[in-house]
Amino acid sequence: MQSNSPKKIVVIGGGIAGLSVAAAVADWADVIVLEREPHLGYHASGRSAALFTETYGNRVVRGLTLASRLAIVEGGFVAHRRGALHVGWSGDGDAIDRLAGELQALVPSVRRLWAAELHALVPVIAAEATCGGVYEPDAVDVDTGKMLESSASALKAGGGIIRIGEEVRAISPDGGGLRVETNAGVYTADIVVNAAGAWVDVVAGMAGLSGLGFQPKRRTAFLFDPPAGTDISGWPLVVDLHEQFYFKPDAGRLIGSLADETDSEPCDAYPEDIDVAIAVDRIEQATSMRIDRPSTPWAGLRTFAPDRTPVAGFDPRLPGFFWLGGQGGYGFQVSLTLARLSAALMRGEPLPADVTALGVTATALAPDRFLVPAATP
Ligand SMILES: Cc1cc2nc3c(=O)[nH]c(=O)nc-3n(C[C@H](O)[C@H](O)[C@H](O)COP(=O)(O)OP(=O)(O)OC[C@H]3O[C@@H](n4cnc5c(N)ncnc54)[C@H](O)[C@@H]3O)c2cc1C
């Protein structure tokens, strides 16, 4: 058990992953967050669609999300009770029935909607065009800016430090700890948290470690106007059953997306015109909406581990090197639980009981699952 000894922790990355874990350990450790860009949340964390949905992702992601709801609500991070609607088309009836059964078992408030009900909820989808859908009424929009600010404030209140414009360039063993070199200085730490988003494997390489196979995937979004005179405030997020597109209200306009997952190198992602054009076409085909002027397109990288489950845990190859990556398309909704359980792992404690009760284990999150055991001579 390490819980009584004060620790020095360097967190690499000023997105939601890095900031939330830094805040979670600030009461028992000296923490410094290093962020290369000129402001926090510059990459994925500044580009999300801000939805919290308990039916998204695989079994572990859903467990992490369910375990986060209380903290999201009590933290005041709910911006709007949005709802989420998976829409099926002609021929999708069986798939919608199956999805409804699967999601209801997880979240009892989920309902199967029939075509007329779906049309009443989202009138731009004709009743004749749909076989109905699966509706999750308790999905919410979260205030992502507030989540970032709240973690940064909690970190500072606990005595932690944030350095922006500071890029980590090398990590090496140093006595019993680790030495972190940046463009501006050198730090020593007992624990280095690799929360570098799309760059997690790159940062591992700076420590002489092979990566775990993380893949950043670009997703594109844009804004457009709803049909004139239409009140969209009660519309849910509408996602095509086959994840070909989605749209959702955002401050009186609509966010549209191709729901694309295009492999990318870690980079400052930019939207491709063709991805916007395809999304516009698909939304127009599926609804009565006409999108004359899509505006403000943006793109961000959603970074996945090979099994699409986040990674949280110490690397067995380098003492003190802690991975916190692969938040994929769920980084905000899982962040508070990942931060809490990462703090427990760093203190040498078991995962919180409410998290394990939802089927989330340290083994399922550990980096070890991607490491090939050394061959025995
Ligand atoms: C279009 C889109 C829609 C999304 N919608 C949702 C949604 O509805 N709900 C949801 O929960 N999630 C959503 N996500 C996913 C969510 O945004 C991400 O999972 C989350 O932001 C990842 O956070 P992060 O801190 O791991 O990464 P990032 O926010 O990318 O932060 C990593 C940081 O590390 C820094 N860094 C990298 N290398 C170094 C270095 N060497 N030195 C110093 N700093 C370094 C980077 O500059 C970066 O700021 C969406 C993402 C996108 C792109």
Side-chain angles (χ1 to χ4, degrees):
M1 292 287 235
Q2 305 168 15
S3 50
N4 291 327
S5 51
K7 295 283 177 194
K8 281 164 76 178
I9 300 180
V10 168
V11 177
I12 304 170
I16 191 59
L19 290 172
S20 56
V21 78
V25 296
D27 62 342
W28 65 278
D30 296 328
V31 190
I32 297 180
V33 174
L34 302 174
E35 168 54 52
R36 174 187 54 207
E37 302 293 352
H39 64 79
L40 300 172
Y42 178 94
H43 287 288
S45 298
R47 308 179 192 201
S48 93
L51 195 75
F52 176 98
T53 157
E54 291 162 330
T55 60
Y56 197 33
N58 66 26
R59 188 186 53 78
V60 178
V61 170
R62 290 171 182 178
L64 292 168
T65 305
L66 287 163
S68 301
R69 178 175 274 278
L70 189 62
I72 292 276
V73 172
E74 289 188 345
F77 302 129
V78 175
H80 188 89
R81 184 166 182 257
R82 172 65 53 213
L85 174 64
H86 303 260
V87 183
W89 315 98
S90 159
D92 287 336
D94 289 348
I96 286 289
D97 288 343
R98 274 197 306 277
L99 184 65
E102 181 196 335
L103 299 187
Q104 269 163 358
L106 187 76
V107 180
S109 59
V110 165
R111 286 192 291 129
R112 206 267 194 224
L113 290 192
W114 300 98
E117 296 171 286
L118 191 151
H119 172 69
L121 186 63
V122 186
V124 291
I125 298 177
E128 309 76 60
T130 175
C131 66
V134 183
Y135 181 47
E136 180 191 351
D138 296 326
V140 295
D141 286 340
V142 289
D143 186 335
T144 55
K146 190 171 177 182
M147 287 182 73
L148 290 165
E149 277 169 30
S150 166
S151 288
S153 302
L155 169 64
K156 288 181 197 158
I161 295 168
I162 298 172
R163 295 203 199 282
I164 57 170
E166 195 155 342
E167 179 179 47
V168 173
R169 294 186 171 164
I171 302 163
S172 52
D174 180 52
L178 292 167
R179 172 186 159 94
V180 178
E181 291 173 48
T182 75
N183 58 316
V186 174
Y187 302 87
T188 54
D190 301 298
I191 296 172
V192 170
V193 179
N194 178 8
W199 289 266
V200 271
D201 274 348
V202 176
V203 164
M206 294 174 187
L209 300 173
S210 57
L212 302 181
F214 286 96
Q215 179 60 61
K217 289 176 180 283
R218 188 181 69 237
R219 176 156 288 188
T220 310
F222 54 93
L223 295 173
F224 63 99
D225 289 323
T230 306
D231 178 9
I232 59 165
S233 58
W235 286 12
L237 171 126
V238 176
V239 57
D240 165 57
L241 177 67
H242 310 285
E243 296 211 34
Q244 295 289 295
F245 66 85
Y246 70 76
F247 57 88
K248 67 169 270 202
D250 184 66
R253 303 189 77 197
L254 287 157
I255 294 178
S257 173
L258 185 57
D260 44 328
E261 290 199 346
T262 309
D263 286 357
S264 169
E265 294 299 312
C267 66
D268 192 351
Y270 277 85
E272 299 283 346
D273 290 346
I274 185 72
D275 291 336
V276 175
I278 294 171
V280 165
D281 183 56
R282 288 183 183 166
I283 294 170
E284 288 189 339
Q285 296 285 336
T287 71
S288 59
M289 291 192 284
R290 291 295 156 261
I291 304 173
D292 294 330
R293 279 192 297 274
S295 67
T296 332
W298 74 92
L301 298 180
R302 300 154 80 249
T303 299
F304 294 90
D307 58 5
R308 295 177 79 94
T309 295
V311 176
F314 282 108
D315 193 305
R317 301 168 296 177
L318 181 60
F321 190 86
F322 191 94
W323 290 85
L324 185 56
Q327 286 83 349
Y330 348 94
F332 281 95
Q333 55 183 54
V334 298
S335 60
L336 299 178
T337 297
L338 273 183
R340 197 156 54 96
L341 69 81
S342 294
L345 290 171
M346 285 184 231
R347 293 168 68 115
E349 296 170 356
L351 297 200
D354 66 305
V355 178
T356 52
L358 290 162
V360 178
T361 63
T363 308
L365 299 169
D368 314 39
R369 69 193 195 269
F370 303 117
L371 298 173
V372 183
T376 42

